[in-house]
Amino acid sequence: MKNTPVGRFAPTPSGRMHLGNVFAALVAWLSVRSRNGHFVLRMEDLDTQRTSAEFAEILRQDLLWLGLNWDEETPAQSARTDVYDRYFSLLEEKGLLYPCYCTRSQLHSINAPHASDGTYVYPGTCRHLTNAQKEAFGRNPSWRVCVPDRDYEITDLCQGIYKENLLHDCGDFVVRRADGVYVYQLAVTVDDGEAGVTEVVRGQDLLSSAPRQMYLQELFGFSHPEYGHVPMLLAPDGRRLSKRDKDLDLGYLRQNMTPESLIGTLAFSAGLIDKEIPISARELASQFTWKKLRGDAITMTGTLFSAK
Ligand SMILES: [Zn+2]
């Protein structure tokens, strides 16, 4: 297993896969399969209100329909609270956690700089509360981890260099919510680390969370994986595709296309093949390199749109 690339796809089972999810899954799979690596599937179902075992099963069937098989499915996040508890305690032992009592509206009114993704930079409001102040709130706090004044730099397989200073561009961030639910940043770091994931391929919208995860990886004793944040998909008219485009989820697409024609259209739009022809995931893997993949937004060809 040494030096074997380990990749993963970690969908949220809250509905049918959308075209953007399919693209992220495809590239994650191609990157691993083109080098005889190991592919891990994991259900990110921290939000138990929105996710279900039924959707998880549909997701598996959709992946198999696409030809994107996996070697291992690791336990879903909803079953791993006790594991996350251990890593939470580790942060506590290091003296890096503190309770935050800020309400949502207080956080919104923080007159602090905003990060590139539009979220506010937490100014450390609750870092030095006294015990008396904490008790006076009389409610459960969320828990934040103190971040260092340090730059984290990624050489992303798709986006090139991305740099962020955790203190100035992000601030101390929440690892456990007031209702006891662990946040994505902690869960994903633990899950990828324990599964020995060596490359994290996912949508570009998650690029700005990579530095937070790199910081947690160091605290938890995991090595940094490589990152590949694949670009957003645009409609032929330049509009950003979203989950609201119901006719581009797999429920619809499976009725109107073969897996090969869908993968061919995605691969051609992304620059992975020169002609828009039907192709299987396996055939595509034999010719995949990251160099071919464009880092900027990908405008889809009209095929999916004229098929309606
Ligand atoms: Zn606070």
Side-chain angles (χ1 to χ4, degrees):
M1 284 291 285
K2 203 165 185 291
N3 296 328
T4 302
V6 180
R8 46 67 139 196
F9 181 55
T12 300
S14 60
R16 228 40 204 265
M17 264 200 282
H18 188 263
L19 201 59
N21 309 130
V22 173
F23 183 58
L26 175 66
V27 177
W29 187 91
L30 289 171
S31 177
V32 165
R33 291 294 185 233
S34 63
R35 290 171 295 141
N36 295 316
H38 187 80
F39 198 60
V40 175
L41 177 66
R42 175 179 76 237
M43 296 298 162
E44 297 204 327
D45 57 352
L46 285 171
D47 184 350
T48 51
Q49 303 291 314
R50 280 174 55 237
T51 57
S52 73
E54 288 74 25
F55 279 132
E57 187 49 30
I58 293 171
L59 262 163
R60 291 183 198 100
Q61 296 304 323
D62 281 346
L63 287 170
L64 293 174
W65 179 80
L66 288 160
L68 307 180
N69 63 337
W70 55 95
D71 303 294
E72 182 189 358
E73 180 171 351
T74 55
Q77 292 183 331
S78 59
R80 282 171 55 80
T81 306
D82 54 337
V83 178
Y84 305 143
D85 282 343
R86 285 210 309 274
Y87 287 90
F88 182 81
S89 303
L90 200 71
L91 297 178
E92 206 165 31
E93 285 160 22
K94 289 176 188 282
L96 290 169
L97 293 182
Y98 64 88
C100 168
Y101 295 87
C102 296
T103 61
R104 197 174 284 266
S105 61
Q106 275 175 307
L107 292 172
H108 276 297
S109 64
I110 287 172
N111 196 11
H114 281 61
S116 53
D117 63 358
T119 55
Y120 61 85
V121 176
Y122 186 72
T125 318
C126 298
R127 237 194 213 210
H128 303 292
L129 294 177
T130 63
N131 283 337
Q133 284 172 314
K134 290 174 193 170
E135 273 166 37
F137 283 106
R139 60 174 183 265
N140 288 332
S142 59
W143 289 84
R144 289 182 186 269
V145 61
C146 296
V147 299
D149 182 359
R150 209 187 111 187
D151 286 346
Y152 280 83
E153 187 175 293
I154 302 156
T155 306
D156 192 87
L157 290 162
C158 215
Q159 305 300 328
I161 304 274
Y162 177 78
K163 198 158 69 170
E164 190 178 300
N165 177 293
L166 277 185
L167 187 66
H168 300 298
D169 301 330
C170 174
D172 300 338
F173 59 92
V174 173
V175 290
R176 198 174 79 186
R177 300 191 326 209
D179 61 6
V181 175
Y182 286 101
V183 304
Y184 169 76
Q185 306 296 348
L186 182 135
V188 78
T189 304
V190 170
D191 292 346
D192 285 340
E194 289 201 341
V197 167
T198 63
E199 56 181 61
V200 171
V201 177
R202 57 191 178 190
Q204 194 181 4
D205 53 326
L206 289 167
L207 178 60
S208 65
S209 70
R212 274 169 278 176
Q213 290 161 24
M214 291 171 79
Y215 172 52
L216 291 179
Q217 283 152 15
E218 289 172 0
L219 295 174
F220 295 157
F222 299 126
S223 0
H224 297 314
E226 281 204 279
Y227 285 101
H229 288 88
V230 301
M232 297 290 119
L233 305 180
L234 306 178
D237 62 6
R239 183 175 52 89
R240 187 173 154 178
L241 297 177
S242 79
K243 269 189 189 287
R244 285 189 299 276
D245 295 287
K246 283 287 174 213
D247 46 0
L248 291 178
D249 77 26
L250 266 189
Y252 176 88
L253 293 170
R254 277 185 68 164
Q255 291 170 20
N256 293 281
M257 301 184 90
T258 63
E260 291 80 15
S261 56
L262 177 55
I263 287 171
T265 295
L266 276 168
F268 175 68
S269 301
L272 294 176
I273 49 176
D274 299 332
K275 287 200 189 88
E276 188 170 5
I277 48 161
I279 187 167
S280 70
R282 190 154 291 283
E283 275 175 274
L284 196 55
S286 64
Q287 45 181 288
F288 175 82
T289 70
W290 279 96
K291 285 196 196 85
K292 290 187 192 167
L293 189 67
R294 319 173 24 166
D296 51 349
I298 291 169
T299 305
M300 296 297 299
T301 67
T303 311
L304 297 175
F305 299 84
S306 56
K308 287 175 207 166

